[in-house]
Amino acid sequence: MRRTVLKSLAAIMAGALFALPVHAQQAVDVEFYYPVAVGGPITKIIDTMVADFHKENPDINIKPVYAGTYQDSIAKVLTAMKGGQPPQLAVLLSTDMYTLIDEDAVVPIDGLANDAAGKAWLGGFYDAFMQNSRTGGHVWGVPFQRSTIVMYYNKDLFKAAGLDPEHPPATWQELVDASVKLTKKDASGNVTQWGLEIPSGGAFAYWLFQALTTPNGAILMNEAGNQVMLDKPAVVEAAQFWRDLSVKHGAMPTGTIEWGTTPKDFLEKKAAIVWTTTGNLTNIRANASFPFGVAMMPRKVRGGSPTGGGNFYIFKSGTPAQQKAALKFAQWATSPERAADWSIATGYVAVTPAAWDTPKMKQYAREVPAAAVARDQLAVSVAEFSTHENQRVTKVLNDALQAILTGAKPAQQALTDAQRESDRILKPYR
């Protein structure tokens, strides 16, 4: 009898021990918010990435939640937080960093990736991208789908206008001269082809504005995100130049130009030169019926563009296991091979020098030299405009730019008003 009981106990204990690893390896679910309104067949690419990651990590289930635009995504994240169900991982604008910190929503990623391998990983990104990823001595976001603004131009239209298609405008004056030559009118005086389009409508006017202020030697905010410099002479001069491209030189439509229509106008040959994200490169390559070039921002006193795009953020509300799983996915997605795949598939800039050293990226850069333009521009790029109360302050600047471009206010007055209002909003953070 005693032997039977002992055998039964041994069997139970063995069963319990056998069950322990199964319990320990229970799959971790990670809800992942991702903005899809960024151009191209993004959802299919993300779904493939998630499936590939799961094959290598069957104990982690990454569950994408596609959330529209970046603005939709941050709104949904903040709403989900208030409802007690925030995601564990999200790709949001790098400029959302201060908002997420102020909402106590995210954890410092350097606190999770704190071993030697983690530190090496965080140290491997381009510094221009990290400028919007760190503050207060911590890294809060990991560069993923990042970009700069670049200039796309139609080589056939350059030839037709007597311009060298291999030498795009490199200075503000050259930009004016070329854009005027590239603007065409019919017999009735109606414009049939614009020389230049710089998008100014919607949420991204401030970003395109930085492609004018940066080359004019102006920085719009400090590193702490609690002070802006919107009314300095170089900033006002950049705004006036933007306005003059249409009202003085007649080389660009008056008023505002919508972000979404700019690539379309380029592909339909309604605009000979457009400024937009390098993230549009794959779309333009796939759909342009003409040879085109890609160039850096024309300079006034220096070169340069703001960086842009989205970072991975890991949320405080996740369990330790979920945070660890989210970190693993972010590390996997930004590994050299994966970053190269992502860049080739989307047109965004591969976020590490190591990615550019992979054989596939070297071959891609040889086949598509335009892809390397944004990477090379990183050497002179600056952080995208971002502050505490970022959505409010950015709206103040965007509204000022709309007023300038529509002629509702002179540049100096609009930017002086914007500076005053921004100072009021940011005062509690200083």
Side-chain angles (χ1 to χ4, degrees):
M1 178 72 178
R2 185 168 176 273
R3 186 177 297 170
T4 303
V5 171
L6 287 172
K7 276 185 176 180
S8 298
L9 284 169
I12 291 168
M13 290 176 69
L17 288 170
F18 181 78
L20 277 175
V22 175
H23 178 71
Q25 291 174 9
Q26 228 174 9
V28 178
D29 293 337
V30 175
E31 197 170 60
F32 171 38
Y33 276 35
Y34 182 83
V36 291
V38 291
I42 294 290
T43 54
K44 185 178 178 182
I45 298 169
I46 290 290
D47 285 343
T48 301
M49 284 180 67
V50 166
D52 289 346
F53 176 76
H54 185 65
K55 285 176 190 172
E56 296 178 28
N57 301 273
D59 57 331
I60 301 174
N61 294 321
I62 303 293
K63 299 181 175 182
V65 175
Y66 296 118
T69 66
Y70 278 121
Q71 288 72 29
D72 294 336
S73 297
I74 185 67
K76 287 184 180 181
V77 165
L78 297 177
T79 300
M81 277 186 60
K82 289 179 174 62
Q85 293 183 316
Q88 291 80 52
L89 178 68
V91 167
L92 300 167
L93 284 173
S94 62
T95 54
D96 288 325
M97 176 178 67
Y98 293 108
T99 298
L100 293 166
I101 293 169
D102 292 343
E103 293 287 340
D104 199 27
V106 293
V107 293
I109 292 177
D110 55 351
L112 299 174
N114 55 9
D115 58 5
K119 289 174 182 175
W121 169 62
L122 290 174
F125 294 95
Y126 283 107
D127 186 69
F129 291 143
M130 294 304 288
Q131 290 175 27
N132 274 114
S133 307
R134 63 187 178 223
T135 189
H138 288 291
V139 175
W140 298 89
V142 174
F144 176 52
Q145 58 180 43
R146 299 301 302 273
S147 59
T148 68
I149 300 166
V150 291
M151 180 167 62
Y152 298 84
Y153 64 98
N154 184 319
K155 291 188 175 184
D156 282 351
L157 297 183
F158 265 59
K159 285 181 186 175
L163 298 166
D164 186 342
E166 302 309 320
H167 287 86
T171 67
W172 281 12
Q173 188 57 56
E174 288 176 8
L175 181 68
V176 170
D177 294 343
S179 299
V180 169
K181 287 181 181 177
L182 289 161
T183 300
K184 303 296 181 187
K185 296 181 180 179
D186 62 19
S188 303
N190 299 312
V191 174
T192 57
Q193 172 187 302
W194 288 106
L196 173 66
E197 286 188 3
I198 301 174
S200 53
F204 293 111
Y206 75 90
W207 193 48
L208 276 298
F209 186 45
Q210 282 188 275
L212 292 162
T213 56
T214 304
N216 206 31
I219 299 297
L220 297 184
M221 76 288 176
N222 66 350
E223 290 184 9
N226 60 11
Q227 186 174 356
V228 296
M229 293 76 79
L230 304 181
D231 59 351
K232 303 299 183 189
V235 180
V236 176
E237 183 184 17
Q240 187 62 53
F241 176 72
W242 197 355
R243 167 83 170 151
D244 286 347
L245 286 167
S246 58
V247 297
K248 181 178 178 182
H249 305 297
M252 193 169 73
T254 56
T256 56
I257 300 169
E258 292 305 315
W259 169 264
T261 62
T262 307
K264 185 171 178 286
D265 286 352
F266 183 67
L267 293 171
E268 293 177 356
K269 304 179 187 177
K270 294 177 182 176
I273 303 172
V274 297
W275 291 11
T276 187
T277 170
T278 185
N280 264 318
L281 177 60
T282 299
N283 169 43
I284 290 174
R285 280 185 65 216
N287 294 294
S289 60
F290 49 84
F292 68 91
V294 178
M296 297 185 194
M297 290 294 94
R299 64 186 178 273
K300 179 70 175 356
V301 298
R302 52 159 287 181
S305 161
T307 59
N311 281 351
F312 280 116
Y313 295 97
I314 297 175
F315 285 74
K316 185 173 283 191
S317 55
T319 65
Q322 287 174 319
Q323 290 179 357
K324 184 178 179 182
L327 175 68
K328 192 169 189 179
F329 180 70
Q331 290 175 319
W332 180 90
T334 57
S335 64
E337 290 291 325
R338 293 293 169 182
D341 288 341
W342 176 255
S343 179
I344 293 166
T346 64
Y348 284 96
V349 184
V351 290
T352 64
W356 288 92
D357 281 338
T358 59
K360 68 180 76 172
M361 204 66 198
K362 287 180 178 178
Q363 181 180 346
Y364 177 60
R366 284 194 297 270
E367 293 173 357
V368 188
V373 172
R375 176 202 64 187
D376 295 343
Q377 191 169 232
L378 290 175
V380 288
S381 291
V382 301
E384 184 176 357
F385 185 77
S386 178
T387 66
H388 291 280
E389 301 282 354
N390 190 57
Q391 290 175 308
R392 292 175 67 195
V393 176
T394 298
K395 185 178 186 304
V396 168
L397 177 53
N398 280 342
D399 288 350
L401 294 171
Q402 301 297 318
I404 294 164
L405 293 171
T406 59
K409 286 184 182 180
Q412 181 68 66
Q413 180 190 340
L415 290 168
T416 298
D417 292 347
Q419 179 69 44
R420 185 185 306 110
E421 178 61 12
S422 299
D423 284 342
R424 187 188 67 77
I425 294 170
L426 292 173
K427 187 176 180 181
Y429 298 92
R430 290 206 289 270

